[in-house]
Amino acid sequence: MRLEAVELRRIGIPLVAPFETSFGVQLDRDILLVKAITSEGEGWGECVAGEEPTYSPEYVDGAQHVLTNHLLPRLFERDELHAEDVFDLLRPVHGHQMAKAAIEMALLDAQLRARGESFARYFGAVREAVDCGVSVGIHRTVAELLRTVGGFLDQGYRRIKLKIKPGWDIEPVRAVRERYGNVLLQVDANTAYRLADAKLLAELDPFDLLLIEQPMPEDQVLAHAQMAEIVGTPICLDESIHSLQAAADAIELHACRIINIKPGRVGGYLEAQRIHDLCASHSIPVWMGGMLETGVGRAGNVAMAAMANFTLPGDTSASDRYYRRDVITEPFLLHDGRLRVPAGPGLGVALDEERLREVTTSTERITREMSRATTPSR
Ligand code: NPQ
Ligand code: MG
C-alpha cells in the first residue's frame, strides 16, 4: 500500500477518577490518535505518550513533532509500504518508541482491514476473551483504598495491582490482603525505590504477591538482578523493557522473572510480538500493560493479550475504568472478569465520530506532498 496522508488528532478526555502513581497524579488525558490514509483504506493508531515525560522520556507534544518532522517523511518516501517495514524504516531515528508504535499500528489496522483479518488472528491469538486485572492508584487513606478495591472486585476484576511508593507500600498491601483474602495481587512502584530498599521490599514477601513491578529506575537493570537475591517476590520489569534487546539482556541477567509488555513502550505491536516469543522460549510469562488507552489502543492490546504466553491477567481493564464515554461505538465491557477479543477486521472497533468531535482539541493533516516539499532528501 501507499501512505497518502496522516491525520494527527488530539483529544482531551477526563478520567472518571484521579489516578495517582509514584510519578504524579493524572486527572484527564491528552491523547494523540493517528489516522493513516492509504491506497488500501484507512487505519487508526493510538499514541500512549503522556502529557509530561514522567513515565518515560516521551510526551505527547514531542511525539506529534517527531511524527510530523522525522517519522512520517520516511514513510511517505516509499511507494510501497507494509506495516512490517515500518520498524526498520524508522530505525535511523533513535528512541521515540511510542510515536513509532502509533503510526505502525495505524498502518497495520489499514492493512488488516483491507484484507478482512483481525489483529487477534494476525497475532495468532489462542483465546476469545482475556482475563482482566485493574491498576489501583495511590489513595489518601487505607480505608479509601479498601473501598476502591472492593468496588473493582464487585465488578469482577480477576487481579488487583496496587501502585506503591515509599511510605505507601507495606500497609496498603497488608490491608488489602487481610480484607480480600487470596485475591490475585501485585504491586507497581514505577521506579520509586533504590537497591538499598531491598530489605524493606522483602517485607512484602509474606503477602504472596504475584510480582513486584519495576521497583527501581529503568536503567538499573543489573540492580534488579541484585534485588532479586534479597526479595522473594518475583520481579517484573516494565519501564526497563524498551526493546527486544533490552528484554533479552534482562532475561540473561536474571533481572526479572516476568515481563510487562506494552506495545507503545517497545516501538509497536510487531516488536511486542517478538518480545512475547522470546519470553515464551525462556519460560518467562508476560502480561499486557495499560497506558490509560481509549478503545482504539485497548482493542489492539486485548487482541495481543490473547496470545499464548500472556498467561497473567493484564491491565487491560474495561473502558469505564478510565472513561465515562469512550471514543468507540461499542466500549469494552467486563463479562465475568474478562474482555472479549474483537473479531472484526483490523482493530475490530469503530470510532464514535460524534464523541470524537466532542473531545477533539486539534487536528493536523500531513500529506505526502507536504512532506516532499519540506524534507531534505536522504
Ligand atoms: C504502568 N499504567 O503500568 C502504567 C503507568 C501509567 C495502568 O498502571 C498517562 C499516561 C498516565 C501514561 C499513568 C498503569 C499514566 C500513564 C500511569 C502510565 O506503569
Ligand atoms: Mg508499570
Side-chain angles (χ1 to χ4, degrees):
M1 62 192 168
R2 210 170 81 130
L3 181 60
E4 308 288 359
V6 171
E7 198 178 282
L8 301 174
R9 192 184 268 261
R10 291 280 282 276
I11 61 172
I13 31 176
L15 294 173
V16 293
F19 185 54
E20 180 170 347
T21 65
S22 63
F23 60 86
V25 186
Q26 202 77 33
L27 301 173
D28 44 35
R29 294 233 46 213
D30 173 352
I31 297 176
L32 171 61
L33 296 177
V34 174
K35 180 158 84 173
I37 296 124
T38 80
S39 53
E40 308 286 303
E42 298 176 352
W44 283 93
E46 176 167 343
C47 181
V48 300
E51 211 169 332
E52 290 195 280
T54 48
Y55 163 82
S56 84
E58 292 190 80
Y59 61 103
V60 65
D61 283 333
Q64 183 153 352
H65 185 279
V66 82
L67 273 161
T68 303
N69 295 284
H70 304 283
L71 303 181
L72 297 181
R74 287 174 159 80
L75 304 181
F76 284 133
E77 236 170 43
R78 302 281 147 167
D79 284 320
E80 184 60 27
L81 181 65
H82 296 95
E84 293 82 359
D85 306 328
V86 171
F87 196 87
D88 282 331
L89 284 172
L90 301 183
R91 200 184 289 280
V93 176
H94 287 193
H96 298 286
Q97 289 89 342
M98 294 172 180
K100 292 174 177 179
I103 183 60
E104 185 200 76
M105 177 182 180
L107 285 163
L108 185 58
D109 186 36
Q111 187 172 308
L112 294 182
R113 280 183 203 264
R115 66 178 195 232
E117 184 178 335
S118 69
F119 266 50
R121 187 185 165 91
Y122 180 83
F123 295 143
V126 299
R127 49 187 94 87
E128 289 177 356
V130 299
D131 287 359
C132 284
V134 60
S135 178
V136 183
I138 292 164
H139 281 55
R140 292 206 341 261
T141 65
V142 166
E144 284 175 39
L145 174 71
L146 290 175
R147 266 197 298 281
T148 299
V149 169
F152 286 135
L153 291 173
D154 288 346
Q155 290 174 48
Y157 284 103
R158 290 171 176 257
R159 181 225 69 193
I160 298 292
K161 162 168 136 182
L162 301 181
K163 291 292 193 177
I164 59 168
K165 67 176 181 182
W168 180 264
D169 39 34
I170 315 297
E171 287 320 309
V173 168
R174 183 200 311 281
V176 170
R177 181 54 90 213
E178 281 176 2
R179 172 73 67 90
Y180 297 111
N182 59 1
V183 57
L184 296 182
L185 187 62
Q186 63 192 56
V187 294
D188 186 359
N190 288 112
T191 78
Y193 295 87
R194 296 299 175 267
L195 187 54
D197 299 316
K199 284 216 171 82
L200 166 72
L201 291 175
E203 289 179 38
L204 292 171
D205 288 349
F207 301 114
D208 201 24
L209 302 180
L210 289 168
L211 58 91
I212 173 166
E213 183 179 347
Q214 196 73 42
M216 291 176 287
E218 59 198 275
D219 58 347
Q220 293 183 29
V221 177
L222 177 61
H224 284 87
Q226 293 165 331
M227 182 176 274
E229 302 279 325
I230 301 165
V231 176
T233 306
I235 289 178
C236 169
L237 290 176
D238 172 358
E239 285 90 331
S240 293
I241 308 300
H242 49 80
S243 66
L244 176 65
Q245 186 63 56
D249 289 358
I251 292 168
E252 190 69 30
L253 268 172
H254 300 289
C256 60
R257 279 154 55 184
I258 298 166
I259 286 181
N260 165 332
I261 291 186
K262 288 177 181 166
R265 196 191 61 229
V266 303
Y269 282 98
L270 302 184
E271 183 82 345
Q273 190 172 27
R274 291 187 282 271
I275 294 173
H276 165 276
D277 295 351
L278 172 83
C279 289
S281 74
H282 286 83
S283 304
I284 299 280
V286 302
W287 55 280
M288 180 56 66
M291 291 291 283
L292 285 53
E293 290 90 346
T294 70
V296 175
R298 203 163 294 283
N301 289 352
V302 168
M304 176 157 274
M307 292 174 74
N309 195 38
F310 280 84
T311 52
L312 291 165
D315 282 345
T316 48
S317 307
S319 295
D320 70 1
R321 158 68 184 90
Y322 294 110
Y323 305 111
R324 187 185 50 78
R325 188 172 165 198
D326 206 329
V327 299
I328 55 173
T329 53
E330 291 182 38
F332 283 91
L333 302 174
L334 220 50
H335 301 278
D336 193 22
R338 298 191 176 91
L339 295 183
R340 291 191 193 117
V341 177
L347 290 170
V349 294
L351 274 288
D352 177 344
E353 294 292 343
E354 181 196 305
R355 175 62 172 159
L356 198 55
R357 268 196 300 279
E358 191 174 275
V359 295
T360 294
T361 52
S362 74
T363 306
E364 191 180 2
R365 193 183 164 89
I366 319 283
T367 66
R368 55 192 283 130
E369 290 72 31
M370 284 163 63
S371 180
R372 277 249 161 76
T374 56
T375 54
S377 61
R378 268 178 289 273

